[in-house]
């Protein structure tokens, strides 16, 4: 079982000083940062492109966990790999060659992840589980930070963990959306190991205190 990993989401950082936001994460001894890429079609919001990721790469040694919320993610894999992404996660919902795209992400030297929206059943990713490094279960409808955690998705996480154990697989199980110390504990109980935290980390009076409290979680 992977130990709990806190992954701050730079979406909730300072967009005029993204390098400072990433530096804070690194100074706290955390290892990963989550980067949300939105295209204004798959989700009703726009964020960053590969140029931002490449620029941030020059300032940071963190592991870049890049979450592509795009209608045509397969068209942008090379650009984000070249920009310095370490993991690239793609959604299952749009129609494209999922298996081929996941394989291509690995061939480019990155880890890969598959992502499910709240309304997408666990069965949708079940055939791909042996071919991924990470499964991201969205615990809000993607597009915006600061939304309320969807507790009704806990059984879906538990189900994916059960498949992981039954098949002896070792992909990470990640949650994203509305995660704070209390909801992280609920997700940990169903064996989540990777926790994306935007608002509750960067919006905390003391993000260091948040990280220290998170580290107490078993
Ligand atoms: C939502 C993004 C999340 C976002 C989470 O569409 O995928 O990564 O940053 O933000 P919080 O933690 O504020 O819900
Ligand atoms: Zn995300």
């Amino acid at each position: 079982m992977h130990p709990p990993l806190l992954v701050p989401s730079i979406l909730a950082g300072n967009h005029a000083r993204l390098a400072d936001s990433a530096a804070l994460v690194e100074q706290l001894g955390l290892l990963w940062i989550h980067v949300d890429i939105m295209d204004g079609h798959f989700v009703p919001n726009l964020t960053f492109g590969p140029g931002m990721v490449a620029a941030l790469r020059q300032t940071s040694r963190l592991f870049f966990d890049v979450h592509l919320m795009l209608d045509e993610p397969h068209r942008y894999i090379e650009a984000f790999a070249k920009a310095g992404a370490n993991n690239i996660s793609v959604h299952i919902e749009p129609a494209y060659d999922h298996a081929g795209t996941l394989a291509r992400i690995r061939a480019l030297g990155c880890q890969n992840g598959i992502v499910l929206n709240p309304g997408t059943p666990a069965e949708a990713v079940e055939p791909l589980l042996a071919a991924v490094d990470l499964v991201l279960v969205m615990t809000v409808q993607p597009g915006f930070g600061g939304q309320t955690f969807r507790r009704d998705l806990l059984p879906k996480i538990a189900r994916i963990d059960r498949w992981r154990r039954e098949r002896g697989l070792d992909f990470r199980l990640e949650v994203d959306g509305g995660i704070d110390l209390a909801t992280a504990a609920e997700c940990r109980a169903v064996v989540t190991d990777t926790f994306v935290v935007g608002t509750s980390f960067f919006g905390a009076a003391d993000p260091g205190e948040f990280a220290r409290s998170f580290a107490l979680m078993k």
Side-chain angles (χ1 to χ4, degrees):
M1 182 157 85
H2 299 280
L5 183 71
L6 170 59
V7 186
S9 173
I10 202 157
L11 182 66
N14 181 341
H15 287 220
R17 298 184 183 280
L18 292 169
D20 292 354
S21 295
L24 168 68
V25 173
E26 205 164 332
Q27 279 155 20
L28 291 173
L30 302 174
L31 300 175
W32 283 35
I33 193 158
H34 185 81
V35 185
D36 285 310
I37 309 296
M38 306 187 188
D39 68 353
H41 290 268
F42 182 69
V43 290
N45 196 6
L46 295 160
T47 55
F48 316 114
M52 172 278 200
V53 174
L56 199 62
R57 182 79 285 167
Q58 299 309 309
T59 77
S60 174
R61 288 182 306 188
L62 292 167
F63 183 101
F64 285 2
D65 176 31
V66 175
H67 174 192
L68 300 184
M69 283 159 273
L70 310 176
D71 264 337
E72 301 187 299
H74 54 291
R75 291 180 54 201
Y76 299 93
I77 301 307
E78 272 83 9
F80 283 101
K82 205 167 152 217
N86 299 103
N87 178 85
I88 299 177
S89 293
V90 292
H91 274 259
I92 189 72
E93 293 83 10
Y96 60 95
D97 176 8
H98 301 107
T101 301
L102 290 164
R104 205 144 52 82
I105 293 171
R106 282 186 175 165
L108 289 163
C110 299
Q111 295 183 22
N112 69 18
I114 192 76
V115 193
L116 305 85
N117 276 341
T120 303
E123 286 73 14
V125 299
E126 191 261 329
L128 294 169
L129 294 181
V132 297
D133 299 301
L134 179 153
V135 176
L136 168 51
V137 177
M138 290 307 302
T139 41
V140 299
Q141 186 64 26
F144 300 92
Q147 303 183 73
T148 303
F149 174 75
R150 292 257 315 257
R151 190 158 285 107
D152 57 306
L153 296 166
L154 291 169
K156 178 155 88 178
I157 300 169
R159 163 144 235 190
I160 294 170
D161 172 58
R162 199 160 64 238
W163 282 326
R164 179 168 60 171
R165 276 182 287 116
E166 284 168 1
R167 298 173 192 187
L169 298 171
D170 126 271
F171 55 81
R172 288 182 169 278
L173 193 36
E174 182 178 61
V175 288
D176 183 9
I179 303 298
D180 57 21
L181 293 171
T183 57
E186 290 183 63
C187 294
R188 185 63 180 162
V190 288
V191 204
T192 299
D193 43 64
T194 308
F195 301 80
V196 177
V197 184
T199 308
S200 296
F201 177 83
F202 282 108
D206 181 353
E209 181 55 36
F210 181 92
R212 285 187 290 278
S213 301
F214 180 92
L216 298 175
M217 188 169 65
K218 293 274 184 287

